[in-house]
Amino acid sequence: MQPRGYFDYNASSLLRPQAAAAMTAWMEEGGGNPSSMHARGRSARQTLEAARRSVAELADGCAPRDVVFTSGATESNNTVMRAVAAAVPQVTILTSQIEHHSVLATAAALEEQGTAIVRLQPRSDGCYDRDEIAALTSRGPSLLCLGQANGESGHVLDVDDVVSACAPDTLVHLDVAQAAGRMKLRLGDGIDSLAMSGHKFGSPPGIGALMLSPRMRSLLRPLLTGGPQEWSLRAGTPNVIGAAAMGAAADAALADMDSEHRRLCALRESLWSTLAAANIDLLRITPPEGLANTLTIAVANGNADSLIAALDLAGFCISSGSACAAGSPEPSHVMRALGIEPRYYGGVLRISMGWSTTADDVEALASALLTAARKAAAAA
């Protein structure tokens, strides 16, 4: 059964037609290794570098040479965090309690190896204490590693506020997996590196990028060693077909970023208005100024898994912001850190939209979600 509405864009975007076309063109070209000097190799190199130029356009201040293709944000986050821990004596890595697991698990692994880790406690609005950041970064060498947008709650980081609070020599790395293609990014001017995944904005999974300032590049040591690919920062034959798709997806996302932001904001607020008007105890977690495509809510005393299953049967794809262990609802690490009330723990639903989402889809989802919630309440 084909879903009537796909509302799990924060997990992975549907493949953009432009990305599919780029992949088809590469397959029709017949392939080739971009390190080879013959015609096929030169063609592959041209495809790779065209994609690099497109991806660089996602961030102000980023030149094509600043882009290193990786398998995704997980690899990019690992590369930066592990390299800085190894290269900077007595560095402290500051992150937060609401980061992606690729950041939190890497921080935990480095902590076991002796690296000092500080996990910032966010406020309920998803922001951080400036004075705490200033004090921590002034004590010695620091790497601040935060997500620019939280894919579970929809909160967006005030990057300028955070960067201005840091001591001048602080290295700043941003996980922009949920922000890339949805809002303009910046490299430089206090930001040393950006990690992203192409599948979040319309390419297939398995391709991503790491954007590096000269300061961060000088510290970087590759996770993967071998050949001189990607300026000896990431060995192995590049994923040319993935890069081509990511570049095409980047072009498509940038072409209508402002209008798409407005369109998705309108769809999100329309959905919330419909849900809020119903006689159901709901908590809105994503703030109005949060990610335009995201509406995370929580149903009081609800069971997210049951609601997701009911919607799946009706042809809708959404996801949960909570997990259940041994039959007892428990909040995810993000919801716990944000301090939502326990009665909402088990009913967190993340609805995330994208380029294919229509007003009709939103209207149909609202109806199906309310029906499922009312049935669940009646059966309780």
Side-chain angles (χ1 to χ4, degrees), residues 97-98 121-124 152-153 285 321-323 325 328-342 344-345 348:
Q97 299 177 18
I98 60 172
Q121 168 67 48
R123 302 193 301 255
S124 60
E152 187 171 331
S153 70
I285 295 168
S322 66
S328 299
E330 294 291 339
S332 75
H333 69 286
V334 174
M335 297 301 125
R336 187 188 300 275
L338 291 175
I340 71 167
E341 295 180 46
Y344 293 112
Y345 279 178
V348 178

Side-chain angles (χ1 to χ4, degrees), residues 247-265:
D251 288 340
L254 286 169
D256 60 1
M257 182 179 291
D258 291 341
S259 61
E260 189 70 350
H261 178 89
R262 293 190 295 271
R263 186 182 76 88
L264 291 173
C265 271

Side-chain angles (χ1 to χ4, degrees), residues 12-140:
S12 192
S13 168
L14 295 182
L15 186 68
R16 287 183 184 265
Q18 298 90 337
M23 295 170 69
T24 299
W26 171 247
M27 290 186 288
E28 290 176 349
E29 177 72 16
N33 191 318
S35 296
S36 298
M37 296 181 64
H38 49 63
R40 280 290 180 88
R42 293 194 303 273
S43 177
R45 172 60 61 180
Q46 289 170 359
T47 298
L48 184 67
E49 296 311 316
R52 198 186 309 276
R53 289 191 294 273
S54 293
V55 171
E57 290 295 322
L58 290 169
D60 290 337
C62 182
R65 184 174 171 80
D66 300 328
V67 176
V68 175
F69 283 116
T70 67
S71 63
T74 290
E75 179 187 334
S76 297
N77 288 329
N78 269 265
T79 298
V80 168
M81 295 174 71
R82 293 178 185 277
V84 171
V88 182
Q90 297 182 316
V91 69
T92 296
I93 297 179
L94 284 71
T95 185
S96 88
Q97 299 177 18
I98 60 172
E99 300 308 313
H100 188 268
H101 287 296
S102 65
V103 172
L104 294 178
T106 305
L110 291 172
E111 191 172 38
E112 289 182 358
Q113 297 167 16
T115 300
I117 304 293
V118 174
R119 298 167 180 85
L120 301 171
Q121 168 67 48
R123 302 193 301 255
S124 60
D125 62 0
C127 298
Y128 304 95
D129 187 300
R130 282 177 50 85
D131 292 339
E132 182 183 15
I133 292 173
L136 288 168
T137 58
S138 65
R139 295 175 183 172

